[in-house]
Amino acid sequence: MRSFGLLGPLDVVLDGRHVHIPAGKRRVVLAALLMRAGQVVGVDELAELAGGSRNALQTTVGRLREALPGIVLTKPGGYLLDVRPDEVDVHRFGALPPREALKLWRGRPFADIGSDALERDHVPALTEKHLAVLEARIEADLRDGAHERLVPELRSLTGRHPTRERMWAQLIVALHRCDRQTEALQAYDDIRGRLAEELGLDPGKDLQNAHRQVLTADNRPRARNDLPGDIADFAGRGDALHEIIAAVPSGCVAITAIDGMAGIGKTTLAVRAAHRLAERFPDAQLFVDLHSYTEGVEPRTPSDALLALLTALGVPAQDVPDGLDERSARWRAEMAHRKALVVLDNAGSASQVRPLLPGTGLVLVTSRRRLVDLDAAHTISLDVLSEEDSLKLLATIAGRGQLDAASAREIVRLCGHLPLAVRIVGSRWRTRPAWSARDLVRRLSEHRLTELAAGERSVAGAFSLSYRQLTASQQRLFRLLGLHTGEDWDAHLAAAVIDTTRAEAERLLEELLDAHLVQQKENGRYHFHDLLADHAKALVEPEERTEAIVRVLDHYLLGAENSARQIAPGRPKFHSAVTREPVDPPVFTTPVEALAWQEAERRNLKAAVYLAAYEGHYQHAWQLPSNFAHYLWMGGSGRERVEVQSVALAAAHALGDLKARAEALRGLGSAHMDDGNPKAEEHLRAAIVLMRQIGDLRGEASATGMLGMIARERHEYDESMEHFQRGLVLMRQADAPTGVANALHNIGINHAELGQTEQALAHMLEAAELVSERGDVRELAVTLNNIAHVHFDAYRDDECLACMERSLAGYRECGDRRGEALALADFARWRYEMGHHTVAGALARDVARLCREYTNLPDDEAVLAAMREGRDHVGQMTLYFSLSLEALTGGRPAESIGYLRRFRELKNVRRWWSEERVLDQFAAAHLALGDREAAVRYAKQAVEAAERRHQPRVLALTRETLARACAGV
C-alpha cells in the first residue's frame, strides 16, 4: 500500500508504514513532484522552488531517494516521481464522490511543506475545489432529506464564507424545507444586501431559484435519472475516470467523447462516470442509446433521440416540434436552466450527435469511431485493460477465489485484455465448475473466437458490426492484413497487400484507425489487437489468400534485398524470388535509411521467414534470412541469426536447390561462430563442398575465410593464414573487390596478432582503399578501427587517434550505433592506456549511452539483460568493460571490480586484446581500493598473458601496473 498526502500535513505511507520526510528542501521537492505525479519536473524549476543550486538539488534528491527507494527517477531535463495519480490525495480528491473525497481533507494543504511559492500556486485552487466538493455533498444531503441536520452546518459555513452564494442558497432551501420560511427569507435578504453593499452585485441564479422555491412553496426536490445501473465488477480505468471528472468545467456545455474498439468498455466507463458526477448535475441524468452498432436495430436518428430526451424532461409528446432544428432548439431551451448530464451511447458519427448537444451541462458520448469532427472539449480513446485489472475482472466475474497466477495471466492474455472477452470467459467459467484453468487455456488456444461467445454476447459478433460498416476497399484491406503474421506494418506493406499506392493505403489505414479496427503506437506504424487479427484472418476469402501471402513475402524480400545492398554495397547478388514487385515499394538512398528500415521491420522479416516456410514458399524462406542476416550480425543478434538460418537450411533442403543449401549452410555456420559452437566448422565445410560442386568461387571463398577466423580464435595462425590466402585467390578469380578487401583485412589482423606491424598495415590499408572505392562506409569504418589498433600497438598515438576519429565518423555516417559503441570502447581503453584518464572515463560513459540508445532501453542492466537474451556476447563484454573503466576513472574501484567479475563470467566471448587488459584493469582497480596483495596477483597474471602475445606495448603496460602494485602506489 502506498499513499501520499498533501491535503493537510505531509503524509507518506509505503507498504503500510508511515515514512517521515524531514522538514526543509526534501519536503518542498517531494511536494512539487507529487503535484505532477508521473510527469517530468525540470531541474531549474525544482532548484528554484527549493531555493538552491543544481548541485544542492542533486543532494536533496539523493537524500529523498534514501527515504523513498525506487520512486524518484532521473529523466532527461529533470526528475519524475514514479507514482500513480490515484496514490496522491490531491489528484484522487477530484475523482471521488464528494463524501469520500472530503475524508481526504485533513486541514490546510501544504501545512508543513514550508514553501511560499507552492502555497501561492496551489492552495487557493485546492481550497476552491474543497468548497465546491463540500457544496456538492450538501446538495446530495438535501436531496436525501437531511435538511434539518444541515442548517447548523450551513449557518457556520456562510459565516466563514459570507459571499459564497451557493452555500447561502443551500441554507435558504434547508430552512424552507424545515418550514422556517421567515428565516429563509431573512437569509435571502441578508445575502442580497451583503452582495449589493460589498460587491455591487445582484443575487445569482442559485440564490434566485432558492428564493423562488420559498415564494412558491416548492420545497420538493425534483430530478430525472435514466442512467443504467452502475456495475459492481467495474475494473481498472482509474486514470480515464479521473480524466473525465477532472475535465468538467462550469458555465458551458462540457463534451467528453469516449471512443475505442468494440468490447473495450466505453459504455461501462461512461455510466460509471455519470454516476460519480450525478451529484454535480442534480436536475437530470439522461441516457440515450443511439444504436449505431446494435445488431438488428436501425441507428437512431437525431430527431427520434430528441423526442426521447424531451419527453424524459417532462415535455408532453404533443408539444414536441416536428422539425429537427425546432426540436434541437426546444431541447436547448429546456436544458438552459438545468444542471443536467446526458450520456449519448453508441454514436456512429458527429452528425448524429451535434443536434443533441445542449447549451449547458455535461454530455458524455461513446463511439467505436474517433469523432474527429465533433467539437468535443475532451476526448478519451480507451485501450485494453492492464494485466492487473484484467485479472481482477476475471476473478470477480468467475468467482473462483484464488486463481493459479500463471494460468490466469495466460487466460487474460488470450482474451487480449479486452473487457468484453474477459467478461464472457469469466461468465462461462463460473457456470462450468468442472473446467480447470488449464482446460480454459486449452480451449482458448484452440478456438479463441469460438470460445469468446456466451448467449447473445460475442466478441466476433461485436467485431462483425464494425466490419459491416466499412467500405468495400476498407474491408478488403482489413481482412488481407489478417494474413500478416508480424507485429506491425507500415503503409508500404498495406499498399503491397492490395496492390495500390502508399498514399492510398495510408488513407485507408487512417480510416480503419478512426474506426478502431487497427491501432497505432507510433506514427506510421499500425497493428491489430490480437482478437481483431484473428477476426480479420477468418474473413479472408480462399481465392484471395495465396496471392495476398505472396504479396506480403515479395514486399519484405524486395525491401530486404534493396536495403541490404545499401548496408553492404559489395554483397553478392542472387536470382531473386520476388514474383510481383509492389507498385510503391520503400526506397533507400543511404545506409542510414536502409538500417532504419531493417530495424523497424526486424520482427516482421523474421515472421515472414516462418510464414514463407509454413506456406511452402521455400525460395522466399531461404532468401529472406540471407538478406537480413548481415543486419542481425551488426546488431549482435546471435540467437535470431541461428533461428532464421536454421529455417533457411530446412527450406533449402525442401527445394532440393544446391545453391540454396550452400548459402544456408554458410549462413548457419557464420551464425554459430559467434557462440563458439563446433557446428560452425561442420556447416562451413559442408558449404564449401557444395560451392565447389556448383562452381561458386565467391561463396567458397567466403566460407573458407570464416574457417580462417575459427582457426585464428584457436591461435592456429598457420592454418588460419592458409585459409585466408586461399580465400584471397578465390575472391580475385571471382572478381569480387569487397571479398578481396575482406580477405586482405583478415590477413592484416593475423599479422597484427603476430606483432608484424608493417605487414599488417600494408594489407589493411589496401583493404581500406578497396572498400572506399566501393563506397562501403561501414566496412571502411571497421577497417580503420583495426588500423588504429595496429598504430596503438606500435606507439603511433597520433596516427591511432586520427584513424579512430575517422572510424567513428564512418559508423555515424552509416547509422551503425552498435558499431560506433564497440569502436568507442576501444577508443576509451586506448586513451586510458595513454594516460588520459578523464577523457577515457567520458568516452566510456558515451559507450553506455550509445548502448542504451541503440537498444532503446532505459538503463545499463536492462541493456545487459537484452544482450544476454539475444546472445550478443561481444556487446556484453564491451559494455561490462566500459562500465568498469568509467567506474575506475570515476573513483569507484569496488564497482569497477564488480563489472570485471561479471565480465569474466561470460561464456564463448573472446577478443584478441581482452585477456591481459581485463587482468590489468583488475590489478589497477584493486590497487585503487588499497588491496595490494590482490593487485599484485592480478598484475602478474596480466604480464603472463601479455608475454604469450606479440604486442610489446601491452606487455609494457602490464609490467608498469605490476611495478606500481609491488610498490604499493
Side-chain angles (χ1 to χ4, degrees), residues 484-489 525-528 556 600 603-604 607:
H484 179 264
T485 55
E487 288 192 355
D488 62 359
W489 63 84
R525 308 293 304 181
Y526 304 84
H527 66 279
F528 275 132
Y556 285 119
R603 291 179 175 82
N604 292 329

PDB file of all heavy atoms in Angstrom, residues 484-489 525-528 556 600 603-604 607:
ATOM      1  N   HIS A 484      -0.988 -11.076 -42.365  1.00  0.00           N
ATOM      2  CA  HIS A 484       0.336 -10.595 -41.952  1.00  0.00           C
ATOM      3  C   HIS A 484       0.623 -11.131 -40.553  1.00  0.00           C
ATOM      4  O   HIS A 484      -0.143 -10.900 -39.620  1.00  0.00           O
ATOM      5  CB  HIS A 484       0.342  -9.062 -41.947  1.00  0.00           C
ATOM      6  CG  HIS A 484       1.635  -8.463 -41.518  1.00  0.00           C
ATOM      7  ND1 HIS A 484       1.877  -8.063 -40.224  1.00  0.00           N
ATOM      8  CD2 HIS A 484       2.765  -8.203 -42.202  1.00  0.00           C
ATOM      9  CE1 HIS A 484       3.099  -7.572 -40.140  1.00  0.00           C
ATOM     10  NE2 HIS A 484       3.663  -7.639 -41.329  1.00  0.00           N
ATOM     11  N   THR A 485       1.724 -11.850 -40.404  1.00  0.00           N
ATOM     12  CA  THR A 485       1.996 -12.522 -39.123  1.00  0.00           C
ATOM     13  C   THR A 485       2.996 -11.775 -38.253  1.00  0.00           C
ATOM     14  O   THR A 485       3.356 -12.254 -37.186  1.00  0.00           O
ATOM     15  CB  THR A 485       2.526 -13.945 -39.382  1.00  0.00           C
ATOM     16  OG1 THR A 485       3.671 -13.862 -40.242  1.00  0.00           O
ATOM     17  CG2 THR A 485       1.466 -14.812 -40.029  1.00  0.00           C
ATOM     18  N   GLY A 486       3.462 -10.606 -38.710  1.00  0.00           N
ATOM     19  CA  GLY A 486       4.396  -9.828 -37.913  1.00  0.00           C
ATOM     20  C   GLY A 486       3.693  -9.020 -36.848  1.00  0.00           C
ATOM     21  O   GLY A 486       2.474  -9.128 -36.649  1.00  0.00           O
ATOM     22  N   GLU A 487       4.463  -8.191 -36.158  1.00  0.00           N
ATOM     23  CA  GLU A 487       3.910  -7.409 -35.051  1.00  0.00           C
ATOM     24  C   GLU A 487       3.139  -6.183 -35.522  1.00  0.00           C
ATOM     25  O   GLU A 487       2.144  -5.801 -34.932  1.00  0.00           O
ATOM     26  CB  GLU A 487       5.039  -6.960 -34.112  1.00  0.00           C
ATOM     27  CG  GLU A 487       5.614  -8.089 -33.280  1.00  0.00           C
ATOM     28  CD  GLU A 487       6.503  -7.577 -32.172  1.00  0.00           C
ATOM     29  OE1 GLU A 487       6.742  -6.353 -32.108  1.00  0.00           O
ATOM     30  OE2 GLU A 487       6.954  -8.405 -31.365  1.00  0.00           O
ATOM     31  N   ASP A 488       3.653  -5.517 -36.559  1.00  0.00           N
ATOM     32  CA  ASP A 488       3.011  -4.306 -37.047  1.00  0.00           C
ATOM     33  C   ASP A 488       3.358  -4.150 -38.517  1.00  0.00           C
ATOM     34  O   ASP A 488       3.985  -5.028 -39.111  1.00  0.00           O
ATOM     35  CB  ASP A 488       3.449  -3.084 -36.221  1.00  0.00           C
ATOM     36  CG  ASP A 488       4.945  -2.818 -36.323  1.00  0.00           C
ATOM     37  OD1 ASP A 488       5.652  -3.584 -37.024  1.00  0.00           O
ATOM     38  OD2 ASP A 488       5.429  -1.854 -35.706  1.00  0.00           O
ATOM     39  N   TRP A 489       2.940  -3.051 -39.101  1.00  0.00           N
ATOM     40  CA  TRP A 489       3.241  -2.837 -40.517  1.00  0.00           C
ATOM     41  C   TRP A 489       3.159  -1.347 -40.810  1.00  0.00           C
ATOM     42  O   TRP A 489       2.657  -0.560 -40.002  1.00  0.00           O
ATOM     43  CB  TRP A 489       2.255  -3.614 -41.405  1.00  0.00           C
ATOM     44  CG  TRP A 489       0.835  -3.159 -41.251  1.00  0.00           C
ATOM     45  CD1 TRP A 489       0.230  -2.117 -41.880  1.00  0.00           C
ATOM     46  CD2 TRP A 489      -0.155  -3.730 -40.369  1.00  0.00           C
ATOM     47  NE1 TRP A 489      -1.076  -1.998 -41.461  1.00  0.00           N
ATOM     48  CE2 TRP A 489      -1.340  -2.970 -40.541  1.00  0.00           C
ATOM     49  CE3 TRP A 489      -0.156  -4.808 -39.481  1.00  0.00           C
ATOM     50  CZ2 TRP A 489      -2.512  -3.251 -39.833  1.00  0.00           C
ATOM     51  CZ3 TRP A 489      -1.324  -5.072 -38.773  1.00  0.00           C
ATOM     52  CH2 TRP A 489      -2.482  -4.309 -38.955  1.00  0.00           C
ATOM     53  N   ARG A 525       3.258   3.446 -38.086  1.00  0.00           N
ATOM     54  CA  ARG A 525       3.247   2.010 -37.822  1.00  0.00           C
ATOM     55  C   ARG A 525       1.873   1.618 -37.286  1.00  0.00           C
ATOM     56  O   ARG A 525       1.351   2.251 -36.368  1.00  0.00           O
ATOM     57  CB  ARG A 525       4.318   1.611 -36.796  1.00  0.00           C
ATOM     58  CG  ARG A 525       5.724   2.083 -37.084  1.00  0.00           C
ATOM     59  CD  ARG A 525       6.332   1.446 -38.298  1.00  0.00           C
ATOM     60  NE  ARG A 525       6.360  -0.007 -38.259  1.00  0.00           N
ATOM     61  CZ  ARG A 525       6.882  -0.745 -39.234  1.00  0.00           C
ATOM     62  NH1 ARG A 525       7.404  -0.179 -40.307  1.00  0.00           N
ATOM     63  NH2 ARG A 525       6.874  -2.058 -39.158  1.00  0.00           N
ATOM     64  N   TYR A 526       1.301   0.586 -37.838  1.00  0.00           N
ATOM     65  CA  TYR A 526      -0.044   0.139 -37.465  1.00  0.00           C
ATOM     66  C   TYR A 526       0.017  -1.314 -37.000  1.00  0.00           C
ATOM     67  O   TYR A 526       0.927  -2.071 -37.383  1.00  0.00           O
ATOM     68  CB  TYR A 526      -0.996   0.246 -38.664  1.00  0.00           C
ATOM     69  CG  TYR A 526      -1.063   1.623 -39.277  1.00  0.00           C
ATOM     70  CD1 TYR A 526      -0.127   2.032 -40.220  1.00  0.00           C
ATOM     71  CD2 TYR A 526      -2.060   2.527 -38.910  1.00  0.00           C
ATOM     72  CE1 TYR A 526      -0.185   3.300 -40.796  1.00  0.00           C
ATOM     73  CE2 TYR A 526      -2.124   3.797 -39.472  1.00  0.00           C
ATOM     74  CZ  TYR A 526      -1.175   4.173 -40.411  1.00  0.00           C
ATOM     75  OH  TYR A 526      -1.232   5.425 -40.970  1.00  0.00           O
ATOM     76  N   HIS A 527      -0.966  -1.716 -36.205  1.00  0.00           N
ATOM     77  CA  HIS A 527      -1.033  -3.112 -35.775  1.00  0.00           C
ATOM     78  C   HIS A 527      -2.464  -3.454 -35.398  1.00  0.00           C
ATOM     79  O   HIS A 527      -3.303  -2.574 -35.205  1.00  0.00           O
ATOM     80  CB  HIS A 527      -0.101  -3.384 -34.597  1.00  0.00           C
ATOM     81  CG  HIS A 527      -0.495  -2.677 -33.332  1.00  0.00           C
ATOM     82  ND1 HIS A 527      -0.193  -1.367 -33.082  1.00  0.00           N
ATOM     83  CD2 HIS A 527      -1.180  -3.112 -32.241  1.00  0.00           C
ATOM     84  CE1 HIS A 527      -0.675  -1.013 -31.906  1.00  0.00           C
ATOM     85  NE2 HIS A 527      -1.274  -2.055 -31.375  1.00  0.00           N
ATOM     86  N   PHE A 528      -2.724  -4.743 -35.301  1.00  0.00           N
ATOM     87  CA  PHE A 528      -4.024  -5.255 -34.883  1.00  0.00           C
ATOM     88  C   PHE A 528      -4.014  -5.549 -33.387  1.00  0.00           C
ATOM     89  O   PHE A 528      -2.978  -5.957 -32.841  1.00  0.00           O
ATOM     90  CB  PHE A 528      -4.344  -6.577 -35.584  1.00  0.00           C
ATOM     91  CG  PHE A 528      -4.976  -6.449 -36.944  1.00  0.00           C
ATOM     92  CD1 PHE A 528      -4.485  -7.191 -38.003  1.00  0.00           C
ATOM     93  CD2 PHE A 528      -6.067  -5.629 -37.152  1.00  0.00           C
ATOM     94  CE1 PHE A 528      -5.068  -7.114 -39.258  1.00  0.00           C
ATOM     95  CE2 PHE A 528      -6.660  -5.542 -38.400  1.00  0.00           C
ATOM     96  CZ  PHE A 528      -6.161  -6.283 -39.456  1.00  0.00           C
ATOM     97  N   TYR A 556       8.517  -7.914 -48.344  1.00  0.00           N
ATOM     98  CA  TYR A 556       9.625  -7.995 -47.393  1.00  0.00           C
ATOM     99  C   TYR A 556      10.923  -8.447 -48.048  1.00  0.00           C
ATOM    100  O   TYR A 556      12.007  -7.956 -47.699  1.00  0.00           O
ATOM    101  CB  TYR A 556       9.255  -8.897 -46.215  1.00  0.00           C
ATOM    102  CG  TYR A 556       8.314  -8.224 -45.258  1.00  0.00           C
ATOM    103  CD1 TYR A 556       7.047  -8.742 -44.998  1.00  0.00           C
ATOM    104  CD2 TYR A 556       8.666  -7.034 -44.639  1.00  0.00           C
ATOM    105  CE1 TYR A 556       6.178  -8.101 -44.133  1.00  0.00           C
ATOM    106  CE2 TYR A 556       7.799  -6.380 -43.776  1.00  0.00           C
ATOM    107  CZ  TYR A 556       6.555  -6.927 -43.529  1.00  0.00           C
ATOM    108  OH  TYR A 556       5.695  -6.275 -42.672  1.00  0.00           O
ATOM    109  N   ALA A 600      13.212  -1.287 -38.116  1.00  0.00           N
ATOM    110  CA  ALA A 600      11.756  -1.179 -37.928  1.00  0.00           C
ATOM    111  C   ALA A 600      11.054  -2.485 -38.309  1.00  0.00           C
ATOM    112  O   ALA A 600      10.046  -2.850 -37.702  1.00  0.00           O
ATOM    113  CB  ALA A 600      11.204  -0.016 -38.754  1.00  0.00           C
ATOM    114  N   ARG A 603      11.301  -7.692 -36.684  1.00  0.00           N
ATOM    115  CA  ARG A 603      10.428  -8.794 -36.266  1.00  0.00           C
ATOM    116  C   ARG A 603       9.532  -9.260 -37.411  1.00  0.00           C
ATOM    117  O   ARG A 603       9.172 -10.430 -37.493  1.00  0.00           O
ATOM    118  CB  ARG A 603       9.601  -8.372 -35.043  1.00  0.00           C
ATOM    119  CG  ARG A 603      10.428  -8.201 -33.782  1.00  0.00           C
ATOM    120  CD  ARG A 603       9.572  -7.764 -32.602  1.00  0.00           C
ATOM    121  NE  ARG A 603      10.333  -7.716 -31.377  1.00  0.00           N
ATOM    122  CZ  ARG A 603      11.118  -6.701 -31.011  1.00  0.00           C
ATOM    123  NH1 ARG A 603      11.214  -5.640 -31.803  1.00  0.00           N
ATOM    124  NH2 ARG A 603      11.780  -6.723 -29.870  1.00  0.00           N
ATOM    125  N   ASN A 604       9.161  -8.327 -38.278  1.00  0.00           N
ATOM    126  CA  ASN A 604       8.326  -8.704 -39.420  1.00  0.00           C
ATOM    127  C   ASN A 604       9.110  -9.553 -40.422  1.00  0.00           C
ATOM    128  O   ASN A 604       8.557 -10.480 -41.019  1.00  0.00           O
ATOM    129  CB  ASN A 604       7.799  -7.448 -40.116  1.00  0.00           C
ATOM    130  CG  ASN A 604       6.816  -6.695 -39.253  1.00  0.00           C
ATOM    131  OD1 ASN A 604       6.099  -7.294 -38.456  1.00  0.00           O
ATOM    132  ND2 ASN A 604       6.779  -5.385 -39.367  1.00  0.00           N
ATOM    133  N   ALA A 607       9.204 -12.940 -38.960  1.00  0.00           N
ATOM    134  CA  ALA A 607       7.887 -13.572 -39.106  1.00  0.00           C
ATOM    135  C   ALA A 607       7.654 -14.002 -40.551  1.00  0.00           C
ATOM    136  O   ALA A 607       7.054 -15.052 -40.816  1.00  0.00           O
ATOM    137  CB  ALA A 607       6.793 -12.604 -38.654  1.00  0.00           C
TER     138      ALA A 607
END
